Amino acid sequence: MGLYFLLCALCVLIQIIFLIVEKKGMMKLSLVFKGLASLMFIILGFICLQKSQNRAFGMFIITGLILDGIGDVVINFRFAFEKHKHLSFLSGTAFFFLGHVFYLVGLVYYAQRLTLCIVCGVIAAYIVLYIMYQILHDLKLIYKIFGLVYITMLFIMTSIAVGNMIAALIGYSEATIAPCFYGIGSILFAASDILLIMNNFGQKKCYTSRVISLVLYYVAQLLFAMSLAFV
């Protein structure tokens, strides 16, 4: 367990350095630390995978972690290369979307009440989208389309993860730790993304919101990675 916590600590430390470098305006250098921070939760995932009894499931999660790590860096290109900020944001979002697809496929394997979870996820997604589009009424059409697809996938994945967690807690599933890690992680991930979108496209930019969004995101990814040791 010591190695797990060491990698978590390194991820946090590198992310702090990233924030300091970014705050000083060294955007290209910040990409290096952004990538290193993501590399920590990917390495953690591979180490935890060695303890997993379901390697096929674990590979879906590992693939999701890798795609999210790439998306994490690509989406930050918008600060280092402002001429391509729209392409950067949309490309990064596409990588995150693919990451969620792999998470979703993995989580479905353990899903309880799958149809109900999907319906709840779609309803939650459209409620969130409706509220967001009312606030961010000046969004370009391309962002609305990407938002519709991405948020729907995100909330379906989150709903299934939370459904698995509830099933584990009330005794329908033998494993408890991994579903709880996924359930909590998915909620944090969704909250992080909503904060990111609101802060990126809202009229007022809040640095504190950006920091909170990053903290939630990395905690979520570390939980996803560590859960592989308990599957």
Side-chain angles (χ1 to χ4, degrees):
M1 291 296 288
L3 182 58
Y4 299 170
F5 291 118
L6 174 61
L7 286 167
C8 290
L10 283 173
C11 184
V12 172
L13 176 61
I14 294 170
Q15 188 61 21
I16 291 171
I17 296 172
F18 159 77
L19 288 169
I20 293 171
V21 171
E22 184 184 68
K23 190 71 172 176
K24 291 184 176 181
M26 295 181 283
M27 297 306 181
K28 292 182 181 179
L29 179 60
S30 72
L31 291 173
V32 175
F33 292 102
K34 192 68 166 162
L36 287 174
S38 296
L39 185 61
M40 293 302 104
F41 64 67
I42 293 171
I43 292 173
L44 177 61
F46 273 107
I47 291 173
C48 291
L49 180 63
Q50 305 312 307
K51 292 183 174 292
S52 175
Q53 296 180 10
N54 189 336
R55 300 297 290 273
F57 166 79
M59 288 309 299
F60 280 113
I61 305 305
I62 287 291
T63 305
L65 290 172
I66 293 171
L67 288 168
D68 281 356
I70 295 171
D72 198 21
V73 175
V74 171
I75 207 168
N76 255 63
F77 277 17
R78 69 191 194 278
F79 299 120
F81 307 97
E82 289 200 16
K83 287 199 302 183
H84 306 291
K85 63 180 181 180
H86 297 297
L87 178 61
S88 167
F89 192 89
L90 294 174
S91 299
T93 302
F95 276 107
F96 278 116
F97 175 82
L98 291 174
H100 291 326
V101 170
F102 278 91
Y103 289 145
L104 178 61
V105 173
L107 291 171
V108 165
Y109 182 84
Y110 292 102
Q112 305 287 333
R113 303 288 190 275
L114 179 60
T115 302
L116 177 61
C117 288
I118 292 174
V119 170
C120 289
V122 171
I123 292 172
Y126 280 87
I127 290 173
V128 170
L129 283 165
Y130 176 79
I131 295 171
M132 287 174 57
Y133 289 167
Q134 292 300 307
I135 298 172
L136 307 174
H137 48 79
D138 292 330
L139 272 181
K140 293 182 178 180
L141 179 60
I142 185 65
Y143 283 109
K144 289 185 176 181
I145 294 171
F146 262 67
L148 173 65
V149 175
Y150 178 79
I151 294 294
T152 301
M153 173 60 74
L154 172 65
F155 273 85
I156 289 175
M157 185 271 289
T158 300
S159 181
I160 293 173
V162 171
N164 291 353
M165 178 175 67
I166 293 171
L169 290 174
I170 64 179
Y172 281 110
S173 173
E174 293 181 4
T176 302
I177 296 177
C180 287
F181 276 13
Y182 283 120
I184 295 169
S186 63
I187 292 170
L188 296 179
F189 206 127
S192 170
D193 275 349
I194 291 171
L195 271 175
L196 171 67
I197 293 168
M198 297 302 294
N199 196 49
N200 194 71
F201 296 102
Q203 293 184 345
K204 293 183 179 179
K205 302 291 187 287
C206 177
Y207 188 71
T208 301
S209 293
R210 173 163 170 73
V211 172
I212 294 172
S213 174
L214 289 170
V215 169
L216 295 176
Y217 167 74
Y218 278 98
V219 172
Q221 297 287 38
L222 290 170
L223 287 173
F224 288 162
M226 282 195 294
S227 68
L228 292 177
F230 304 97
V231 176

